[in-house]
Amino acid sequence: MPGSPDAPVFTHTGFLGQTVPFHAITYDKAGVCTSPATRDAVLRLIRDGGYTDTILFSHGWNNDWDDAMRLYRAFMEGVCAMADQRGDILPGGIKPMFLGVSWPSAALLWPWEETPDLAAGTPGPVEESADAELLREDMDPEEAEALTAFLNGKETLSGPELARLSDLLAPQFAHPDEDETETAAPFTARDLEHTFRSADILVEGPEDDDGGFDSGGTIDDTPTHDPKAAGGPLSGVFGLRKALRMATVLKMKDRGGVVGANGVATLLQRVLGETGTRLHLVGHSYGAKVTMTALSRVQAPRAVESVLLLQPAVNHLAFSPDVEGRPGGFRKVLERCRKPVLTTRSKNDIPLRHVFHLAVRRRSDLGEMQFASGVSQFAAMGGYGPHELAPGELLEVTLPDRGITYPDLSGHAVIDLNGDGRITGHSDVTNPYTFWAMLQNLR
């Protein structure tokens, strides 16, 4: 990380001949800002440096520092290049700053993969699943020791062992999740066991750049094709790694909400209250969970300018006005954003089409309740698009190619950008289609 709090992580020359800075704000797993001097310096820079527009981006899960910086650099450079090509659509005098959130979303980080102000070291061998290490983090010592003893030497689980694993892990998932369609029914160990059993049925699908989910749409890289083989759904033997990875998916979703609520919300509050910059939010995967939770919590004097959700790993009903008698968890975001929310989806995103809804299901949806949209109650917005909005609020648009004029979006609250064949996988979010979408929000 740069030595001075106000020094950018990197810069890029572009965007109509400007030197555009990128700054990063870091948070721990509880949402506590671990770079407060940098945060305060960046706020001063925005306020005093004449930055008309600030693009704040949050990465998704299983991204270490280097992964996140590669994502942010690729997006920033792509948007700058697009602005150079089509600056005619931008307001005169626009001066952008790019700002990235870094939060601990990887299952296991070596010291040099953490934020760079931490001391580097030499790793020892990994002797157990990184997922197991992550899942122990919030357990008390006695519970963590019990989990360690249980996992020792195991690669597969019998039915009773799967039930025992569920008993050990379920307490940390017992609380409701803001953007899920919860009822008052508690999430129990048996619900988690059902999730594990569902996960074990998954088999390998098409190739996909998975961005932290395992390839092929499974949650393991050793899929089982024979239903009677060990780990198959008819064998009575279950894959331990699949179960632990599914629990990690759920835990990281929860963590994204915590970081958004406890940390990034305060940052948004200060940017909107202390500066006059137009604030644009971008979230990829669970980064959508971070940014939308944050925006839901702010009480700011003005709205953000725009929101762009790239393959969001949030519930497809999150913007609905009525989900089982209450608003969707992110419904209030729509009144806190000046422009319609842009959100991409793609049938080529195998994790969000085939895995996500299994990891976030609650007792109320064990029977695969279907809405008029014809998809699971717990489907991901990035896999299936947003659903159940009020009449006229939602507009579906085929994700336009660069230079192709977007339709008139006025009068709508959410724009469902259908990226089938244009977004080729969960991590394919730095491409000309998404750069062009960002430019629309900067108009």
Side-chain angles (χ1 to χ4, degrees), residues 393-426:
E393 287 187 331
L394 180 65
L395 176 66
E396 180 183 349
V397 176
T398 298
L399 184 61
D401 201 351
R402 56 184 155 186
I404 301 300
T405 303
Y406 269 62
D408 181 9
L409 306 181
S410 60
H412 303 286
V414 179
I415 311 303
D416 175 17
L417 296 175
N418 184 344
D420 291 352
R422 300 188 170 196
I423 293 175
T424 60
H426 186 60

Side-chain angles (χ1 to χ4, degrees), residues 57 76 198:
F57 197 156
M76 174 175 157
S198 298

Side-chain angles (χ1 to χ4, degrees), residues 68 90 95 154 157 185 241 255 329 376 412 417:
L90 297 173
K95 182 180 179 181
K154 289 186 174 66
L157 301 171
R241 185 169 184 264
R255 179 174 291 179
S376 166
H412 303 286
L417 296 175

Side-chain angles (χ1 to χ4, degrees), residues 53-384:
D53 292 76
T54 300
I55 298 95
L56 189 154
F57 197 156
S58 176
H59 63 79
W61 88 294
N62 243 17
N63 281 207
D64 60 31
W65 171 267
D66 290 338
D67 292 332
M69 294 308 110
R70 281 191 291 269
L71 170 67
Y72 294 152
R73 184 185 290 272
F75 188 78
M76 174 175 157
E77 292 180 356
V79 172
C80 287
M82 190 67 70
D84 288 336
Q85 297 171 28
R86 289 301 310 272
D88 57 294
I89 74 168
L90 297 173
I94 185 171
K95 182 180 179 181
M97 173 190 287
F98 284 75
L99 183 59
V101 171
S102 176
W103 56 285
S105 66
L108 181 64
L109 301 178
W110 299 127
W112 60 75
E113 292 176 330
E114 299 185 7
T115 48
D117 57 328
L118 300 179
T122 302
V126 177
E127 297 181 350
E128 64 168 17
S129 165
D131 298 302
E133 179 69 22
L134 173 74
L135 293 167
R136 274 198 301 266
E137 282 186 2
D138 298 317
M139 290 180 159
D140 64 37
E142 185 176 326
E143 292 172 334
E145 185 177 345
L147 179 62
T148 299
F150 174 79
L151 296 177
N152 185 38
K154 289 186 174 66
E155 294 183 2
T156 59
L157 301 171
S158 66
E161 288 173 329
L162 190 70
R164 174 57 180 156
L165 178 64
S166 303
D167 290 336
L168 290 169
L169 295 178
Q172 61 186 295
F173 304 122
H175 57 85
D177 193 350
E178 181 174 306
D179 75 326
E180 290 180 20
T181 50
E182 293 275 10
T183 66
F187 185 67
T188 68
R190 302 290 69 78
D191 296 332
L192 186 59
E193 182 182 353
H194 179 93
T195 294
F196 292 155
R197 289 176 181 271
S198 298
D200 216 65
I201 295 172
L202 291 172
V203 296
E204 189 171 23
E207 289 290 330
D208 178 51
D209 178 14
D210 53 48
F213 294 88
D214 284 299
S215 60
T218 71
I219 44 177
D220 193 1
D221 54 9
T222 55
T224 300
H225 294 280
D226 181 355
K228 294 184 179 179
L234 303 183
S235 69
V237 179
F238 302 88
L240 175 60
R241 185 169 184 264
K242 283 185 179 181
L244 294 177
R245 178 50 50 97
M246 185 62 88
T248 300
V249 171
L250 184 57
K251 186 174 183 69
M252 283 302 177
K253 184 169 186 287
D254 289 349
R255 179 174 291 179
V258 170
V259 171
N262 295 346
V264 180
T266 301
L267 178 62
L268 301 191
Q269 186 84 25
R270 293 190 62 184
V271 172
L272 294 170
E274 298 176 19
T275 80
T277 191
R278 297 195 307 172
L279 181 59
H280 308 268
L281 303 184
V282 183
H284 170 232
S285 186
Y286 282 161
K289 174 79 170 176
V290 173
T291 55
M292 294 300 90
T293 302
L295 188 53
S296 295
R297 299 298 179 91
V298 301
Q299 298 293 330
R302 60 191 178 95
V304 300
E305 180 71 10
S306 74
V307 168
L308 173 60
L309 304 181
L310 301 171
Q311 297 308 109
V314 299
N315 189 275
H316 71 127
L317 301 173
F319 296 135
S320 173
D322 184 10
V323 183
E324 297 184 344
R326 66 175 180 84
F330 297 149
R331 175 70 183 179
K332 63 184 69 172
V333 161
L334 303 184
E335 64 190 34
R336 298 177 182 179
C337 182
R338 200 182 73 79
K339 293 176 178 174
V341 172
L342 304 186
T343 178
T344 70
R345 65 174 163 96
S346 175
K347 68 180 181 182
N348 306 105
D349 187 330
I350 301 302
L352 297 190
R353 292 281 292 189
H354 299 291
V355 177
F356 177 89
H357 63 282
L358 297 176
V360 299
R361 59 198 296 134
R362 303 292 184 180
R363 191 72 180 177
S364 58
D365 195 36
L366 294 182
E368 285 297 319
M369 181 177 178
Q370 302 291 311
F371 278 69
S373 54
V375 298
S376 166
Q377 182 179 9
F378 296 111
M381 194 176 292
Y384 294 89

